[in-house]
Amino acid sequence: MGGVLTLLWYAVLLLIALATSSVLVYAAILHWQHRKYAHIPSAPRPSFFLGHLPIALEFTRKRQLPFASLLSEWHKQFGLVFCFHILHWTVVISLDSKTVKEVMTNSKNLKPIEDYRSFHSLFGVRFVGWSLVNEINHAKWRERRSLFNPAFHRKYVMGFMDTFNRSADQMIAHLDKLADGKTDVAMLEKFNSITLDVIGKLGFGLDLNIIEDPQSPFPVAATTCLKGLQKSLVMPWYPYLPTAEARKLRKEIRGAVHFLRQMAKDCVLSRLESRARGDKQPKDVLTFILDASKELEGSQNFGLNEMIDEFLLFFIAGQETTGNHLAFALQQICRYPDVLKKVLAEIEEVLGNKPDVDFQDLPKLEYLMLVLKETMRQYPSVSGASRITAAELESGGYRIPKGTNIRFNHFVMGTMDRYYDNPEEFRPERFKSTDGESRYMYAYMPFSLGQRNCIGQNVAMIESRVILAKLLRHFTFELVPGQRFVMKHELTNKPIDGCRTYITLRN
């Protein structure tokens, strides 16, 4: 018996020694990391091990402001370049447009894998794999992008106009029932429904009809997955928590991922069978991709699973960002009567009595386009971009080591008078074309920059103009009093109070 107790005692001592050694090694790594970036300004760390995490959590939870607002405060203290530490991660923030150009236009600077692991596998289940947004290998990404480029060519985008117009008409018919001037309508929810419908039709020939049935399984599953992504990014340890709440959420999220991937698989296989029969094919994104990929057999890097990845990515990345942008834009138009007056005058002049917006009308809706651009300056759907530096560089007078996670935040850059005159003003005219290079060149990147810019940015801007033009011509929107005009960050940025409005028919 004594021998067993002795062994147990030695085992306990060994565990204590291993735990102590692990803590000491981790502390040494943190110390080395802090020294490596000691020459770059940063706020005082409230915790050696947690770094600036307590500050970030207090700011976002108690003050209900996005993390980008904290970065804006740090910019006022430390200037163009500063860093923050969270556990063993160190991130350098650069608000220098010259550095943005240098880093974002060089494909050798890759996306940081730690930012995108949750996109690949969400709570242990494959979600969107290594798709267009999160593929780290540049050669594989370039091959994948070449498959998608034809579907977004101008001559094909022209064919999308009927879908944009019919979807806008469907939304008008839905809002007609609510246009009594008394019903509180959260337009963020409505915009997210219509953009999800549009992507279903344009991308994969699906008629989801979410505007009339927001509780259908597809949007519910998509929302659940977005919630899971947000959890895993903000709380990387959440997938391992043993609490009943965490286990329940993990089960829901895994079920939602399985549902969405099975739906995507059924859609793709059904289209392949239709093509094999020689049926007439819709001119949607799926048709173009199947053509380019030779029925998913033209490349060992792009088969059925990869097509499912991209299917889900299109819905997750394209729908919510456009819906958020539309809500922010309507909010701003309603806040500024002079802006609304100019938008309505332009819509009347360009469209007249025509029921639809034609492709040829889009360049004439110039002021509406300026409104959309100015909205993205003040309220970007995505706050910024990040890269791992492939070589040492200089930014704002500081040496940035090779292998640094460097981030650019165009929300903060959009508030800086270094780039914009009176940045607190909502002034769409600031984006009118000029002969000289604007000061905000490379400070403004709502769709990212370089080769890895957003492939769907032109489609999103066309969709936004069509929907807003038709809605504003048909309805008068009045913001419900008492709303806050700040962003809420939930994976993407959205109006914190949902752009709540009272709607009436326009005379």
Side-chain angles (χ1 to χ4, degrees):
M1 186 68 179
V4 172
L5 290 175
T6 301
L7 287 174
L8 287 174
W9 174 245
Y10 281 126
V12 169
L13 289 178
L14 179 60
L15 289 174
I16 293 173
L18 288 173
T20 303
S21 299
S22 298
V23 170
L24 291 174
V25 169
Y26 189 67
I29 291 172
L30 289 181
H31 179 69
W32 173 82
Q33 188 84 337
H34 295 161
R35 284 180 58 87
K36 182 179 179 181
Y37 293 95
H39 63 289
I40 298 175
S42 70
R45 298 187 307 274
S47 167
F48 175 80
F49 286 100
L50 298 179
H52 295 102
L53 181 60
I55 297 177
L57 292 177
E58 190 275 339
F59 190 89
T60 55
R61 290 179 180 176
K62 293 186 179 180
R63 295 177 59 177
Q64 291 190 310
L65 291 172
F67 184 64
S69 296
L70 176 59
L71 299 183
S72 184
E73 291 191 4
W74 281 345
H75 154 61
K76 294 172 185 176
Q77 296 181 53
F78 306 118
L80 288 179
V81 177
F82 52 91
C83 68
F84 65 87
H85 307 275
I86 294 180
L87 300 173
H88 53 278
W89 293 292
T90 296
V91 174
V92 172
I93 300 293
S94 174
L95 305 173
D96 183 357
S97 60
K98 294 179 181 178
T99 308
V100 173
K101 178 181 179 181
E102 180 181 355
V103 173
M104 295 297 292
T105 60
N106 185 346
S107 61
K108 292 182 180 179
N109 300 307
L110 303 179
K111 289 188 172 185
I113 191 170
E114 60 267 21
D115 289 359
Y116 294 99
R117 280 198 179 96
S118 295
F119 286 82
H120 178 275
S121 298
L122 188 56
F123 288 2
V125 179
R126 180 168 179 163
F127 185 37
V128 300
W130 297 117
S131 48
L132 273 178
V133 165
N134 61 320
E135 174 58 70
I136 307 302
N137 185 302
H138 189 72
K140 288 184 178 180
W141 170 86
R142 187 170 56 239
E143 179 186 357
R144 182 77 57 89
R145 179 76 175 241
S146 68
L147 295 176
F148 284 80
N149 282 332
F152 294 90
H153 191 278
R154 181 178 182 274
K155 65 179 181 178
Y156 297 124
V157 171
M158 292 173 63
F160 295 164
M161 292 300 293
D162 186 63
T163 297
F164 294 144
N165 278 289
R166 299 292 71 78
S167 295
D169 290 343
Q170 187 180 13
M171 188 171 186
I172 288 171
H174 173 75
L175 294 179
D176 269 335
K177 308 167 191 174
L178 306 173
D180 56 10
K182 301 176 182 178
T183 302
D184 186 334
V185 181
M187 287 303 297
L188 175 63
E189 175 188 319
K190 304 303 180 185
F191 283 132
N192 279 331
S193 294
I194 191 174
T195 52
L196 200 55
D197 274 339
V198 167
I199 287 182
K201 293 169 185 173
L202 291 187
F204 308 98
L206 297 172
D207 191 2
L208 299 171
N209 195 28
I210 295 167
I211 191 68
E212 294 295 341
D213 185 16
Q215 294 306 311
S216 66
F218 189 94
V220 171
T223 300
T224 300
C225 290
L226 288 172
K227 182 179 178 181
L229 275 175
Q230 173 72 4
K231 279 283 189 183
S232 62
L233 290 172
V234 175
M235 303 170 64
W237 56 87
Y238 196 85
Y240 311 104
L241 287 180
T243 64
E245 178 187 0
R247 293 198 306 271
K248 181 176 181 292
L249 181 60
R250 286 197 293 268
K251 183 178 179 180
E252 291 176 359
I253 291 168
R254 289 166 181 162
V257 172
H258 284 305
F259 171 81
L260 292 176
R261 289 192 68 87
Q262 186 60 50
M263 180 179 176
K265 181 178 180 180
D266 292 342
C267 177
V268 175
L269 291 178
S270 176
R271 182 66 63 84
L272 287 171
E273 292 171 2
S274 173
R275 289 164 68 91
R277 292 193 302 266
D279 298 343
K280 184 179 179 180
Q281 299 298 301
K283 290 187 177 181
D284 56 16
V285 173
L286 180 56
T287 291
F288 290 116
I289 296 171
L290 293 179
D291 285 342
S293 65
K294 298 180 175 58
E295 314 294 312
L296 304 181
E297 296 180 356
S299 169
Q300 63 177 357
N301 294 322
F302 192 77
L304 178 59
N305 272 328
E306 287 70 31
M307 184 64 251
I308 293 171
D309 295 339
E310 301 297 348
F311 179 105
L312 296 186
L313 176 68
F314 265 66
F315 281 104
I316 297 300
Q319 171 263 329
E320 188 166 80
T321 51
T322 305
N324 295 348
H325 182 208
L326 282 165
F328 279 128
L330 179 62
Q331 170 187 282
Q332 295 301 88
I333 290 171
C334 292
R335 289 180 69 190
Y336 300 99
D338 289 344
V339 171
L340 174 61
K341 184 177 179 180
K342 291 178 183 179
V343 168
L344 291 176
E346 180 179 77
I347 292 172
E348 178 65 27
E349 179 182 351
V350 173
L351 300 184
N353 294 321
K354 293 195 312 177
D356 288 339
V357 181
D358 298 326
F359 191 80
Q360 293 74 19
D361 295 327
L362 294 172
K364 302 173 187 176
L365 294 171
E366 178 185 6
Y367 187 73
L368 181 56
M369 185 67 163
L370 297 179
V371 169
L372 292 170
K373 287 183 176 181
E374 176 73 338
T375 298
M376 288 189 290
R377 178 185 70 85
Q378 290 190 333
Y379 298 99
S381 294
V382 179
S383 294
S386 57
R387 294 290 187 269
I388 299 297
T389 54
E392 184 178 298
L393 56 89
E394 184 273 337
S395 179
Y398 295 97
R399 176 184 58 83
I400 310 299
K402 176 182 177 181
T404 292
N405 185 332
I406 187 168
R407 299 195 180 193
F408 309 105
N409 193 288
H410 55 256
F411 166 74
V412 179
M413 297 175 84
T415 68
M416 295 167 58
D417 54 17
R418 177 187 183 92
Y419 304 115
Y420 302 95
D421 295 323
N422 301 315
E424 70 283 353
E425 292 183 9
F426 186 78
R427 183 159 50 86
E429 290 82 359
R430 75 172 79 242
F431 281 96
K432 278 190 174 180
S433 299
T434 59
D435 294 333
E437 185 177 279
S438 300
R439 280 189 296 155
Y440 58 75
M441 188 67 71
Y442 299 106
Y444 181 80
M445 50 173 182
F447 294 103
S448 194
L449 290 172
Q451 293 184 39
R452 298 200 64 160
N453 62 3
C454 175
I455 192 172
Q457 58 184 292
N458 291 330
V459 174
M461 295 303 284
I462 293 171
E463 177 185 359
S464 297
R465 276 175 284 176
V466 173
I467 291 174
L468 279 179
K470 299 193 77 166
L471 290 183
L472 290 169
R473 185 168 64 168
H474 195 83
F475 298 111
T476 295
F477 295 91
E478 179 186 353
L479 292 173
V480 174
Q483 292 185 72
R484 297 163 291 174
F485 302 117
V486 296
M487 300 187 310
K488 178 182 182 181
H489 182 77
E490 288 181 341
L491 194 63
T492 57
N493 299 322
K494 57 196 66 176
I496 193 168
D497 291 322
C499 186
R500 294 163 48 224
T501 64
Y502 298 127
I503 307 174
T504 54
L505 295 177
R506 187 171 294 283
N507 296 326

